[in-house]
Amino acid sequence: MRFLSVSLLLVMSLANPGWAGVQQADDKFIAQIELHTVEELESVLTRAEALSVQGSGYSQSSPIQLVLHGEEVRVFLRDNYLQHKSLVDLAARLDAFNVIDIKVCEFWMGQNDLQKNQLPPFID
């Protein structure tokens, strides 16, 4: 899978191919997320969880790659954990079961004066 240079990437469910911005790449569906909101991130993680439970077209050998480079990164900051506990816990659980692999853009972090140690260890 080739990473797009903008927004959040997500392998999407075969059950929802009509979702805006969805493209097929090999046996993966990629959606471009543009809003960078907590609600949008929650929707993406909920869809990833549903995909893993359904098992249709999902392979644990190839986790969903999430590349974050916007305000949604702040959800994962340690200082914001209590405010976003359920979402961070969902992301951690999905990472632990190899459903997703979250990465944060180092350039974005530098531009926002953030350090890697401000993020949970499951985020690269």
Side-chain angles (χ1 to χ4, degrees), residues 10 12-13 16 19 42-52:
L10 172 68
M12 294 302 295
S13 167
N16 197 7
W19 198 50
E42 182 176 27
S43 174
V44 165
L45 293 177
T46 301
R47 288 176 188 237
E49 181 179 43
L51 177 60
S52 71

Side-chain angles (χ1 to χ4, degrees), residues 11-123:
V11 178
M12 294 302 295
S13 167
L14 295 173
N16 197 7
W19 198 50
V22 174
Q23 302 173 16
Q24 188 169 359
D26 299 322
D27 289 327
K28 301 173 184 181
F29 284 81
I30 302 168
Q32 182 173 322
I33 309 301
E34 296 180 345
L35 299 178
H36 301 289
T37 64
V38 173
E39 295 79 18
E40 190 175 28
L41 181 60
E42 182 176 27
S43 174
V44 165
L45 293 177
T46 301
R47 288 176 188 237
E49 181 179 43
L51 177 60
S52 71
V53 170
Q54 291 172 358
S56 61
Y58 169 73
S59 169
Q60 282 185 311
S61 64
S62 181
I64 297 166
Q65 301 292 313
L66 300 175
V67 181
L68 308 179
H69 62 86
E71 290 300 311
E72 72 278 4
V73 172
R74 296 188 189 283
V75 166
F76 295 104
L77 295 177
R78 291 181 188 270
D79 290 344
N80 296 332
Y81 176 70
L82 291 179
Q83 182 182 356
H84 300 290
K85 182 181 183 318
S86 63
L87 190 58
V88 174
D89 290 351
L90 172 59
R93 191 170 54 252
L94 293 173
D95 180 82
F97 285 101
N98 208 35
V99 175
I100 63 171
D101 182 24
I102 299 178
K103 299 182 184 315
V104 173
C105 174
E106 288 181 14
F107 180 78
W108 186 90
M109 294 218 18
Q111 292 294 309
N112 288 275
D113 296 320
L114 298 173
Q115 303 296 318
K116 174 140 174 58
N117 65 0
Q118 293 176 271
L119 297 169
F122 69 90
I123 296 181

